[in-house]
Amino acid sequence: MQRTPAGLVIAVTGAARGIGREIARELAAAGARVAVGDRDLEAAVDTARQLPGDVAAFAVDVTDTASFTAFLEAVEERWAPIDVLVNNAGVMWVGPFDEEPDSAARRQVDVNLLGVIRGVRLAAPAMRARGRGQIVTVASGAAKLAPAGEATYAATKHAVYGYLNAVRTELHGSGVQLSVVLPGVVETELAAGTATGPVRRLAPAEVAQAVLAVIRRPRFEITLPRRLNFGARMAALLPDPARFLLLRAVVPNQVLADKNARRTYENRAVSGTEGASEQ
């Protein structure tokens, strides 16, 4: 049975740019009351001004429990208890595993994994007490198929998938739904300078539409495009020689990503010295 997002209070992290901005746009157009959360409050305010309907901007750093708590409380104070939390914030460093700086590895774990854990831990108990609610996490196809050159990024997405699977077992029957969206490469700043491989890049709006679809009809997992899921299942079954042939054919190798094209993004998002954390 489908539900309408109209009137729901939905909080989105990393929503000032990229996928998060499109998610906020899609949900606002569907009539939801949307909280645009981002570490870059100025950018969040600018995004909120451009969107239709009942939309407001809030500061949130998903790596800080006090900041995340204040964000959720501020959203509830403005509207009502949060019906849906969208864990979207995420960052990515690409390159050979043995050249990755410690700071980049820590940043990805802090945002991509601990940020999701923090969001679930802070939002789910109140939802469980009310007997309803949903947490949607935008993860990555790298949770199933780990590209070369994205070792730590893929590790965080694998961990997120496992964490959500465990927590949804604990929440079974509580009225709280956990959902995860697993897109392939998306045309955003996060993917700047990366290889595409044989699978076309997704538009941010396609991921946003998948988030809207899983809110309308809650379920645990959506993979974009669907054939990524088939490829992951095949790779798990094949012996190593065939597995590596398959991965070379369908998964882009990011070891040789254009670091010059990625410099602006990685300095802002992965170094953590300025700007927002976003997909």
Side-chain angles (χ1 to χ4, degrees):
M1 187 174 84
Q2 288 201 358
R3 63 173 175 173
T4 176
L8 295 182
V9 177
I10 304 180
V12 187
T13 67
R17 299 177 175 88
I19 294 172
R21 180 170 56 195
E22 292 308 309
I23 292 171
R25 187 190 309 279
E26 194 77 25
L27 297 174
R33 292 173 284 181
V34 181
V36 176
D38 204 283
R39 194 159 60 95
D40 186 341
L41 181 58
E42 184 178 348
V45 169
D46 185 59
T47 291
R49 285 173 179 161
Q50 298 177 43
L51 300 184
D54 197 356
V55 180
F58 300 84
V60 59
D61 181 349
V62 301
T63 69
D64 182 83
T65 298
S67 174
F68 213 141
T69 300
F71 168 58
L72 299 178
E73 290 176 347
V75 174
E76 182 168 344
E77 182 177 347
R78 178 181 175 94
W79 286 302
I82 294 171
D83 296 295
V84 182
L85 170 65
V86 181
N87 282 319
N88 168 72
V91 296
M92 181 173 73
W93 183 93
V94 300
F97 75 90
D98 52 348
E99 295 180 11
E100 182 179 44
D102 286 348
S103 59
R106 283 194 299 269
R107 179 70 177 158
Q108 290 170 94
V109 171
D110 285 346
V111 176
N112 301 356
L113 174 57
L114 296 180
V116 169
I117 291 174
R118 187 169 286 110
V120 173
R121 195 176 64 237
L122 293 175
M127 293 178 175
R128 179 169 55 187
R130 294 193 301 271
R132 59 182 175 80
Q134 184 179 15
I135 299 174
V136 180
T137 297
V138 180
S140 169
K144 298 283 191 74
L145 286 168
E150 293 181 10
T152 299
Y153 178 79
T156 64
K157 299 303 182 178
H158 275 70
V160 161
Y161 188 83
Y163 176 80
L164 296 175
N165 250 318
V167 175
R168 77 178 179 128
T169 302
E170 294 188 44
L171 292 173
H172 180 68
S174 70
V176 182
Q177 174 76 40
L178 297 189
S179 302
V180 60
V181 178
L182 305 171
V185 181
V186 184
E187 192 63 62
T188 66
E189 192 183 14
L190 179 144
T194 61
T196 302
V199 180
R200 70 172 180 85
R201 291 197 180 193
L202 299 166
E206 292 178 90
V207 183
Q209 289 158 12
V211 171
L212 177 60
V214 84
I215 291 172
R216 281 181 165 153
R217 187 170 69 83
R219 52 208 184 275
F220 178 62
E221 182 180 327
I222 292 184
T223 302
L224 298 174
R226 289 183 179 178
R227 58 179 164 165
L228 280 183
N229 194 38
F230 174 76
R233 291 181 179 181
M234 288 294 297
L237 295 173
L238 294 172
D240 268 2
R243 175 179 177 273
F244 286 123
L245 284 174
L246 173 65
L247 293 179
R248 280 198 294 269
V250 302
V251 180
N253 185 325
Q254 308 299 6
V255 169
L256 300 178
D258 185 347
K259 297 298 284 187
N260 288 328
R262 293 189 57 75
R263 184 172 292 114
T264 298
Y265 164 76
E266 289 189 357
N267 285 344
R268 174 177 60 76
V270 183
S271 70
T273 57
E274 57 176 301
S277 304
E278 28 63 37
Q279 298 265 17

